Structure formats: C-alpha cells, structure tokens
C-alpha cells in the first residue's frame, strides 16, 4: 500500500483554537485515491519539533504532506526549516515571481518585498502552483520519498491538492503497483446502532477479511466497508459481495451511499415526485432552511419558510391561533400541526414542516423538559406530529431536530414512491 | 510548564471520515488551565502504532491524554494494549460494576456480558467515573508521568474531563509550581488583516517576550496574545500591558474579547438598546436566523424572519414588488432594500436585515457573477444596502454573507451607542 502521513504546523491547532479540518480533508482525499493514511500529527511553530517529526514521519511514509507555516509572516517557519533540513538554499523561482507580479497587478497593487519573498523557494524543491493565493506548494523528493508542504489556508491548500497532488499520488501508485484500500459507505437512518448490529449479525464470514465500521451521528448511522485489493476494480467487486449481504439484511434502513446525505436524498425524492417543501421553524431558527439550501439547485423544491421565534411571529406571520398558543403552549402538538399546515398553505407547497421545542439549556419544565421538540409534517391529505425528547445541549438539540425532521420527510417520500 | 500530549485512536479519524474535534476541545481546555499542549497525534486502531506512540509521547509529556478505542466492540483495543504496555492484568472494578448494574436497571435493561466487561480495568489503573456512559476513564501513573485513557464519544469524553481531569491538572501544576501559559483573545472586525498589522505596527517592544497571533476568518480577525508567567495573576497583568497598547492602536476595530462572537456582541447591544431584529433571507436560506438563535436568550431581541428562497415567496410572504423583481432581478439593491424594510415592518422589529445573492457554484452572469451578495439593513429612519462580491464556494459565500450582515448591524448599533 501507499503510505501517507499528514503533519500540521501551527500553535492555533495545538492549543485548540481551531479544529484541524485540513487533516481530515486531506485524509479523506488520500483515502479516496486508495492510499493508506498512517497518521496525523500536529505540532507548534517550533523548529526542533518540526525536525523531530520529519525524522520520524519520512521513514514510515511514501508521502508526507505538511500544512501550515508557509505564509509571509515571521512565525511561518516551514519553508526555512525545510530548506535547512534538506541543506538547500532559498532561490527565486522566476516563474512564480512572474505569476506574483501578474497576480498583484490584476488587483491593482504593486508587489511588496514581503510578497515577493513568496517566490523564494528551497533550490531542490519543485513549485506546485496555487491558483488562488500567493504561497505556492513545495515538493521535495529524497530517496524515493516525497515531502510536500502546503499553506494552511484551507481554500489554498485544497486548490493546490486538487490541481497538483492528486495526480502525483495516482501516478505513484500506478508506477509502484501498490495495493489499494477501497472503502464504500452506506447511509442508514431510522434504526438505533445496536439494533442495526443485530440485524446485520455475524460479519466475519461475509466480510472475508474486509472491515465494517459503524459511525453513528445525529443524522443516522454511516456503515463503512473497507477492503484491500490489487486494483480498484478488484476492490469494488469485493465490496459488491459485502454490499449484497448488507442490503439483504438491513436494506430497508439504508437510504444512500457514500456522500449521500439525508438532505440530498430528500432533495432527490422531491425532484422525482415534482414536489415542493416549506418550513416553519421556532427553536431551530432557520437551521432546517439553511440545511435545505446547502444543496445547489434546491430552489427546484425548496420554496422558503417562516422563522417564527416569538409567539407574535407565530400568530402574525403564520396565522397560528392565539388561543391554541395560550391553551397548549408554543411547544405542543397543536401548535406544531398549525405551523406545518399553515406554512404549507401560505407558501403554496406540497409539504410543510414545523419545528417547535425547548432547545435549552434553560426554559424546561417538569412536563416539558429541555430537549423536548415537536416536529410536524403536513401534506394535502394529512398532518402528523411527533414528540421527541433529546438531551441538554442546545446545539445538539437543534441539529437532532433538523436530522429528525428530514428523516420524517424522507420516510414519507419513500412510502409515496414505493406505493 | 506542564506539558500535555493528546493521542487519538481510530481509523475513522485517520481516514478523514470524521474531523478530530476531541483533540481541539481537549487542547482548548488544557490551554485554559495554563498547560502547554505539545502535540496532537492520531493513529489507526493498531496495536504496534499505539505502542510506538506511547514510547514516543510519554517521555515528552507530564500528562498524555488518549481518546478512542475504549468501547465494548472488538476493534476497541486501547484498554488491552495499555494493560499489556504496563504489564497489568484486567480485573473487575467492583464499584464500576455496581454502577453499571444500576445504570442498566434504571433504563429497564439487564447487564449483558459485553457491557459487564466495561468494569474490567488494568489492575494498576484508577477508574475515572463517566457520568453519562458505560466506559470509564482510566488513569495510570508511572515515574511521575500520568497517562489517561478516555472513550472517543465526545459527550462522554467531555464529561469525564470536566468531572475528573481538570482538577488533576490544576493540582499537579500547583504541586509542581509550574510556569503557566496565559492567553487572551481580542475579536476584530471591519478591517483587513494587513491593515490591522500596519495599525498595530512594531510589536517586539510592547510584547516583551509574549506572542501575538492573527487568526483571520469570515467573521473577522482574532488576535491572540500569549505570555508565560509564574502565576495566572502575573500572566494577566503582563497581558494587561499588551492589551493597553492594542486598544490604543486598534481599539476602534476590537469589538470583543475571548469567546465573544459577532452574534453574541450584536445580541448584547440589542439588549442594551432594547431593540429587536428580524431577517429576510434568500441565498442564506435561514443561516442568519440560525446564527442569531444559537445564543440562548436570543428571544429577547430576535423575533424571526422570512426564508424567501423563491421569487414567489419574496412577493407573497414579504410583499416584494413583482415589478421591482422583474426589472432589477432578485439580486439587486432595490429588492434587498424591500426585503429589509418589509421584514422589519411585517415582524414589527426595530431592525430588518435582508440578504439576497448568488451563492453558486452556478447561476452567475457577467454582470452578477457567482458570489455577488446584496445585504440590506433597515431601521425606522433609513434603509441602506451594500453589494459584496465574495468567491466561488457556495458554503463560504453563505457564511461570509452572514458574517458581513452581522458586522453591518454591529456597526450601526455601535454608532447609536457612541452618539
């Protein structure tokens, strides 16, 4: 297999000020290519730490990807340390310098000395072009090992990877005739993890050396199947056999594969059935609408909705009956049904979803504790509502409400389709 | 200083299926306590890798925190490997067993053998109670070094840290009389990074050995000041001197400190001025409303809004003039002003915010490229609108629109206050 390690440089990662999304993005991309991501490591902006990690990670990797510390300020030490490590000198890359001049001219600026320094690169390195920023990627090759340094700005790191590195990994793996690791994911909803495990039952036989992992989240469970194979084709056919068993045993709960998400799948069903949807959100405050409109092209089925956080907004904007509100409270079956029904008629959509609850951390009562959420779903024929009691965490309760609402709509759409 | 390393065990992290939020959470908590987080490392569910990391990380750490691989399934190897590493045997912790029986009885289940195994712990370890799950944390002490293993489920990991580990770190640091690292953050908006750097100017003198980092995001720039000191008190007074200079040079752009966010600060100003706000969202689809309602207590000033994704919704729900729409298009100054004004009157709030744009990746034209966003802000006296051209990434454009809208409102509220 082709082994890749990922090294992140930066105090802000080490002290936990930002989460290392660069590492997970890079790891996912490398995994897609069939490579084996061995380890991620994050260290401070410190020369000795960096040298220690180079010494440790290069021997165990065919490719080491470094992110961070390539910018123009004084705490950006990566380029300097790499030059010393490989006994290089910094020399001006004329092509990159010309690119920088053009880059700044286009924006009406002259190139400052600080920015011109971005064209200084270690003499043994190769420049990897950065289509959206000023710091190029750097590629070193030593004893058949590759070391690549990338800027830490996520958008620039991604652009350099997509434009340059993906093809380097692919051709390396072909030349070396490496084994590949192939993964496929199955998206499950509407069943708890332990029940799903029972349904799938004994795995050793049908996995035949492959792996099966359960990854639960608020939006369902992701089943990940992995196999090692001589080629992608062989891997895919091995996974095909496993997939067959999974669908036989738990197919009713598998709603999608790989990058499918609840909201993308709901969108597909809505397009297929030429239906539209609108939302009435209280405790989620727009989060469900934001989730629908994440998907480019969602305007085909998502019309809009009302964010009705206050009782007045519920009454004035979505015509909730003030007596119903008084009698049953905002977090009630009666109100959520009115929300779902009224938003559907007001926005003239086929489906209306209503959400009202106590997100927390305060505002709960004995009868309606924090985490109580009512979700309503209305179509021309029927309006249903379900009550859920999630946990104490505000963010989680809002996320779970969104996931649960999408799951209710998905179920309804699947029933329509299957009937 | 007190050195802490964080080791994460799990294929799902290594292959990039999930982002390592455990590491950033733990790192932030340890940093708050004044400790020095040296490194984070993530490895696969692999015994040899784990042994190698124990050998590497224990010597460089006063405390090593391990997360993941403590669950009840066969790929959870952490406990077994630690027992072998410390030449321990697994013995039943009677207290934890009793706790498990109670835990399951309370939920109406009997304790299965698989779950009873959670009470098996290496004989030299100390059990750290888990108030919300079945896998306890484990504490080992060897040659004055501490090693702690925690389950990977974030909520359980956090509960064990808060209940047990925080106090261990504090008392260790007191006993050893360690230096502490103290940080303070300043939140800046409305100025680009390079201009901010120019404003602050030469730093070596006033930093006096401390550090200053710039962390830009879509919502502004976070300035992080760090100092090393004999005590928290000394650290805070050192930072006070630096803070004074920062406010002298760039105070007009600093809107908050530490965990303040644009939306929390906007909320504070709205409470102070007893004002309310509503939102009319097209391309952001509810994201601004979701941001407002992240804050517990936002019902005091956030009333609600309209998600008006389709033109019909803009016309029917928020009364945008259909001729204006036809003549200028949905992404225009005229429409965004109507959105801001109409949502304000319809929801009877003091401020109304309108957002309409082309989030992308498709739908752009020569005149209105992808990333074009109009943001409107209306109050009783005036309705203003500004045009922005962000980038090509849909998610980023939506996030930037939300950040920019909040910044426009913040400015307005500050001016009110200062005048």
């Amino acid at each position: 297999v082709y082994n890749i390690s990922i090294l992140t440089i930066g105090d802000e990662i080490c002290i936990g000020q930002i989460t290392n999304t660069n590492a997970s993005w890079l790891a996912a991309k490398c995994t897609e290519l069939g490579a084996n991501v061995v380890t991620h490591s994050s260290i401070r902006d410190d020369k000795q730490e960096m040298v220690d990690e180079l010494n440790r990670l290069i021997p165990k990797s065919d490719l080491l990807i470094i992110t961070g510390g390539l910018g123009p300020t004084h705490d950006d030490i990566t380029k300097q340390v790499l030059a010393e490590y490989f006994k290089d000198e910094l020399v001006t890359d004329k092509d990159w310098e010309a690119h920088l001049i053009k880059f700044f001219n286009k924006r009406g600026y002259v190139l400052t000395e600080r920015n011109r320094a971005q064209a200084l690169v270690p003499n043994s390195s190769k420049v990897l072009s950065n289509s959206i920023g000023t710091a190029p990627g750097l590629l070193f090759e030593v004893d058949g090992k590759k070391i690549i340094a990338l800027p830490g700005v996520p958008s620039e790191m991604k652009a350099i990877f997509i434009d340059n590195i993906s093809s380097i990994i692919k051709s390396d793996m072909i030349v070396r005739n490496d084994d590949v690791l192939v993964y496929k994911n199955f998206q499950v909803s509407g069943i708890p993890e332990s029940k799903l495990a029972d349904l799938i039952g004994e795995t050793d036989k049908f996995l035949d050396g492959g792996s099966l992992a359960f990854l639960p989240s608020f939006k369902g469970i992701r089943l990940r199947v992995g196999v090692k194979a001589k080629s992608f084709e062989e891997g895919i056919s091995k996974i095909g056999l496993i997939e067959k068993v999974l669908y036989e045993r738990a197919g009713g709960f598998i709603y999608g594969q790989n990058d499918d998400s609840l909201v993308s799948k709901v969108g597909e069903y809505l397009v297929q059935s030429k239906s539209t949807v609108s939302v009435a959100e209280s405790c989620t405050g727009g989060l469900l609408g934001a989730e629908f409109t994440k998907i480019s092209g969602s305007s085909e089925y998502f019309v809009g909705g009302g964010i009705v956080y206050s009782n007045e907004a519920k009454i004035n904007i979505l015509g909730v009956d003030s007596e119903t509100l008084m009698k049953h409270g905002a977090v009630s079956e009666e109100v959520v049904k009115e929300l779902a029904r009224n938003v559907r008629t007001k926005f003239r959509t086929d489906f209306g979803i209503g959400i009202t609850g106590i997100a927390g951390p305060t505002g709960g009562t004995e009868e309606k504790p924090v985490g109580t959420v009512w979700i309503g779903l209305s179509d021309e024929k029927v309006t249903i509502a379900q009550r859920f009691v999630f946990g104490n965490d505000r963010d989680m309760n809002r996320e779970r409400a969104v996931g649960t609402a999408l799951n209710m709509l998905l179920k309804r759409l699947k029933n329509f389709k299957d009937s």
Side-chain angles (χ1 to χ4, degrees), chain A residues 283 331-332 356-360 364-374 387-391 397:
Chain A
C283 64
V331 180
S332 64
T356 178
I358 300 153
T365 63
E366 183 109 355
E367 198 200 344
K368 295 176 185 176
V370 164
T372 303
V373 177
W374 275 98
R387 177 176 179 268
F388 302 88
V389 181
F390 303 130
N397 289 336

Side-chain angles (χ1 to χ4, degrees), chain A residues 126-130 159-169:
Chain A
K126 193 179 153 240
V127 161
L128 303 176
S129 64
N130 177 346
I160 301 176
F161 186 95
I162 291 166
D163 295 343
N164 301 278
I165 302 173
S166 192
S167 59
I168 292 174
I169 296 173

Side-chain angles (χ1 to χ4, degrees), chain A residues 109-219:
Chain A
Y109 298 111
V110 287
L111 190 63
T112 63
E113 277 319 298
R114 186 186 284 272
N115 283 315
R116 189 186 297 271
Q118 299 274 26
L120 279 175
V121 302
N123 61 275
S124 79
S125 71
K126 193 179 153 240
V127 161
L128 303 176
S129 64
N130 177 346
S131 61
I132 57 174
T134 56
L138 301 174
L139 166 65
F140 300 84
E141 282 201 69
V142 183
D143 303 331
K145 307 277 190 174
K146 289 194 168 72
I147 297 93
I148 290 175
L150 300 175
V153 181
S155 55
E156 300 186 24
M157 181 279 292
K158 291 176 188 177
I160 301 176
F161 186 95
I162 291 166
D163 295 343
N164 301 278
I165 302 173
S166 192
S167 59
I168 292 174
I169 296 173
K170 271 189 214 161
S171 70
D172 269 10
M173 289 181 71
I174 291 170
V175 169
R176 303 163 25 128
N177 200 16
D178 276 316
D179 279 348
V180 294
L181 301 180
V182 186
Y183 294 93
K184 186 164 179 177
N185 292 286
F186 302 93
Q187 304 285 4
V188 175
S189 75
I191 184 173
E193 188 181 5
S194 58
K195 289 229 171 113
L196 178 65
D198 288 344
L199 261 191
I200 292 173
E202 220 281 319
T203 59
D204 280 2
K205 262 191 202 152
F206 76 87
L207 283 178
D208 189 26
S211 65
L212 176 67
F214 289 65
L215 297 156
S217 78
F218 304 137
K219 292 181 183 159

Side-chain angles (χ1 to χ4, degrees), chain A residues 28 44 57 60 67 96 100 103 117 145 150 154 174 187-189 202 213 236 280 289 292 357 368 381 410 417:
Chain A
R44 286 181 174 259
L57 295 172
K60 65 161 69 185
T67 67
W96 196 252
L100 287 177
F103 184 96
K145 307 277 190 174
L150 300 175
I174 291 170
Q187 304 285 4
V188 175
S189 75
E202 220 281 319
I236 288 163
F292 269 115
K368 295 176 185 176
K381 288 184 194 151
L410 180 73
K417 205 195 163 197

